[in-house]
Amino acid sequence: MSGLSPTEKRFEEHIEDHLKTVGYSTLHFSQYGRNLCLIRDHVIAFIRSTQPEQWGRLQEIYDVDTENKILARISSEISKRGIIDVLRNQVVDRGVYLNLCYFEPKSDLNPDHLKLYQSNKFTVVRQLHYSEQNENSIDMVLFLNGLPIVTMELKNQLTGQNVKHSENQYRFDRDPKEPLLNFKRCMVHFCVDNNRVSMTTRLAGQKTFFLPYNRDLENPPVETGYRTKYLWEEILPPSSLLDVLENFVHLSKEKEFFFNDKTQKIDSVVREVLVFPRYHQLDLI
């Protein structure tokens, strides 16, 4: 983090400090497993504490290699199915079903379910060195039970940079072939400055398309703090992100048209689209 300008570092610290007040813990990037794209100790601790019977059954199968086998299975399933499907619908390993998060119970009639929901662990890692090929880092990555769900590139406008510089950082300096940056590995990638926010769910190099994630066409002035503080105060708290994950974000299929150079005709292809709700689409009350 020595390369950060003081004002950009201060912006990161401000967001991190707020997230800590709403239930996040912090972790050094060295605890992140770059090859499997997860925080090893957090994934294992969550499974062992919330599903001891399932853990015991897998130990009988894998013995001393239990942790490695489970983590490899989880990472492989996320690569194939995407983070949304895995968090909503479990991972099956040798006939053993594993939950990787728990959503808020619909009533307070089941205290055991409430306890499991409260066991979810949210973590923020600053300057995450994510690649096995280099030491590039992403300003901030949010994890749920050891699994990455949100990345953010931050710009403090006092440094002369803004959200557009963040977008170009994703376009030109973040290789979408990196496992962490593959489509569906994370829910969303945010670009954030003091006044504006944009987002994308699919990184595609210079073709990456960003949508504005503002409260209105422009974010209105605020009495104190940054105009973009609604992001970390309303969207990123654990209860809000779990609500988005369970009820709002979704995969759809869309037809995309393009000019086929070989046939000299307009052609089309159907591809998956990961839809993360815009700010005004969420019920934040």
Side-chain angles (χ1 to χ4, degrees), residues 127-275:
Q127 296 300 311
L128 181 80
H129 294 244
Y130 58 89
S131 176
E132 292 190 286
Q133 310 303 319
N134 54 59
E135 291 303 317
N136 287 350
S137 63
I138 295 174
D139 287 340
M140 193 168 284
V141 180
L142 308 184
F143 293 79
L144 169 56
N145 302 325
L147 305 178
I149 55 174
V150 176
T151 79
M152 294 190 288
E153 291 289 1
L154 313 175
K155 298 298 175 189
N156 191 325
Q157 282 152 297
L158 293 177
T159 67
Q161 294 191 320
N162 56 40
V163 70
K164 294 300 180 183
H165 292 88
S166 295
E167 292 176 2
N168 284 333
Q169 200 166 15
Y170 274 120
R171 286 190 179 108
F172 301 110
D173 299 333
R174 303 288 174 256
D175 185 354
K177 294 180 182 178
E178 287 282 356
L180 175 65
L181 304 179
N182 286 175
F183 178 56
K184 298 192 296 185
R185 172 67 72 167
C186 293
M187 277 201 304
V188 64
H189 309 280
F190 283 118
C191 298
V192 189
D193 67 24
N194 307 155
N195 296 327
R196 292 180 294 170
V197 181
S198 64
M199 70 165 195
T200 186
T201 58
R202 182 192 288 269
L203 295 175
Q206 63 182 1
K207 295 181 179 179
T208 303
F209 180 72
F210 289 90
L211 288 168
Y213 199 81
N214 300 317
R215 296 172 65 188
D216 209 330
L217 291 177
E218 295 288 340
N219 284 318
V222 293
E223 291 186 6
T224 59
Y226 301 104
R227 292 190 186 192
T228 51
K229 65 181 182 179
Y230 61 89
L231 179 65
W232 52 90
E233 290 184 357
E234 299 177 26
I235 306 299
L236 300 183
S239 59
S240 177
L241 266 187
L242 284 169
D243 184 34
V244 169
L245 175 60
E246 182 183 19
N247 299 308
F248 292 95
V249 67
H250 65 277
L251 279 168
S252 66
K253 292 186 177 181
E254 296 183 2
K255 182 176 288 188
E256 183 178 278
F257 294 92
F258 63 96
F259 183 76
N260 191 320
D261 292 328
K262 292 182 178 180
T263 64
Q264 296 295 300
K265 295 180 179 179
I266 300 296
D267 209 339
S268 66
V269 62
V270 176
R271 71 169 187 169
E272 281 189 313
V273 176
L274 178 57
V275 180

Side-chain angles (χ1 to χ4, degrees), residues 99-121:
N99 290 290
L100 298 178
C101 81
Y102 290 96
F103 296 110
E104 186 173 13
K106 305 307 178 187
S107 72
D108 57 1
L109 299 179
N110 189 336
D112 291 335
H113 189 169
L114 179 60
K115 184 177 180 181
L116 290 171
Y117 169 71
Q118 294 170 340
S119 297
N120 289 313
K121 182 179 180 63

